[in-house]
Amino acid sequence: MPIASHLLDVFLQPGEHFVGDENYRIRTLLGSCVSITLWHPGRKIGAMSHFLLSCRVPNDAISRQLDGRYAKEALWLMLQELERLDVAPSECDGKIFGGGNMFPRQAAARNIGQINGETARALLRAHRIPIVSESLFGVGHRQVIFDVSSGDVWSRQSDVVEARMPEPQAHR
């Protein structure tokens, strides 16, 4: 990946999103979380989210404020900002990343990453945003870098290394 020193770096924490022009490069680190990137090739404007869960839990639904921790709300936040810039979502290229299984040895554990990835796909389809690329699921976390000037997104996946408890030692 070529390093463009003139680009401003933005690092997304969980629950954050960013919309910017060709002067930005957006980064994040994902486990079971998912990032959606939207890029308008003609205008060189892009958006990226980092959401944690597919939807709010019922007890948390009281808040009227959109929250980027949840898939649908993260997408709405990005779409609102793109609309203010006169960018039509259907003219953007959509890409989806993340949804890793962080606990592969716990078969009974609900795979939140799988649910997040499937939710992202469904949301983009519902908004008629073409999905041009994705890197979803598998085991471990991903580093993601989105160069808004070119629309390129790089993703590197790393396996999970599960910590093991040492064998008990007899102390006499």
Side-chain angles (χ1 to χ4, degrees):
M1 170 187 69
I3 303 289
S5 61
H6 68 282
L7 295 178
L8 300 169
D9 270 324
V10 173
F11 187 85
L12 294 182
Q13 298 291 336
E16 294 182 338
H17 74 283
F18 183 81
V19 177
D21 63 17
E22 62 199 294
N23 295 304
Y24 291 93
R25 178 176 38 227
I26 313 166
R27 303 171 181 259
T28 200
L29 181 64
L30 304 167
S32 58
C33 296
V34 166
S35 278
I36 294 174
T37 66
L38 303 175
W39 186 65
H40 191 283
R43 305 266 315 273
K44 294 190 178 183
I45 293 174
M48 183 171 168
S49 66
H50 178 156
F51 68 84
L52 289 83
L53 298 168
S54 60
C55 61
R56 289 181 189 248
V57 293
N59 294 345
D60 196 21
I62 296 168
S63 174
R64 299 271 185 220
Q65 187 173 357
L66 292 175
D67 190 333
R69 294 178 295 171
Y70 308 105
K72 184 176 183 178
E73 297 176 53
L75 182 59
W76 270 108
L77 287 164
M78 291 193 305
L79 295 178
Q80 286 177 348
E81 288 189 44
L82 289 171
E83 184 178 308
R84 283 193 281 272
L85 297 171
D86 292 321
V87 173
S90 62
E91 295 175 0
C92 291
D93 293 338
K95 298 180 182 179
I96 311 170
F97 303 90
N101 184 350
M102 301 308 293
F103 305 102
R105 293 189 182 172
Q106 296 179 11
R110 189 169 152 230
N111 190 343
I112 294 170
Q114 182 84 26
I115 295 166
N116 285 342
E118 290 169 0
T119 299
R121 283 178 180 156
L123 286 169
L124 291 182
R125 287 184 187 125
H127 286 275
R128 294 187 172 91
I129 299 170
I131 301 169
V132 299
S133 181
E134 64 180 40
S135 176
L136 289 169
F137 313 128
V139 175
H141 67 276
R142 284 176 177 80
Q143 294 178 345
V144 179
I145 302 171
F146 177 21
D147 180 344
V148 180
S149 67
S150 66
D152 291 334
V153 182
W154 294 274
S155 172
R156 182 172 65 192
Q157 186 169 2
S158 301
D159 289 342
V160 172
V161 178
E162 291 189 37
R164 294 182 186 252
M165 294 295 293
E167 291 297 320
Q169 301 274 329
H171 296 279
R172 296 182 198 252

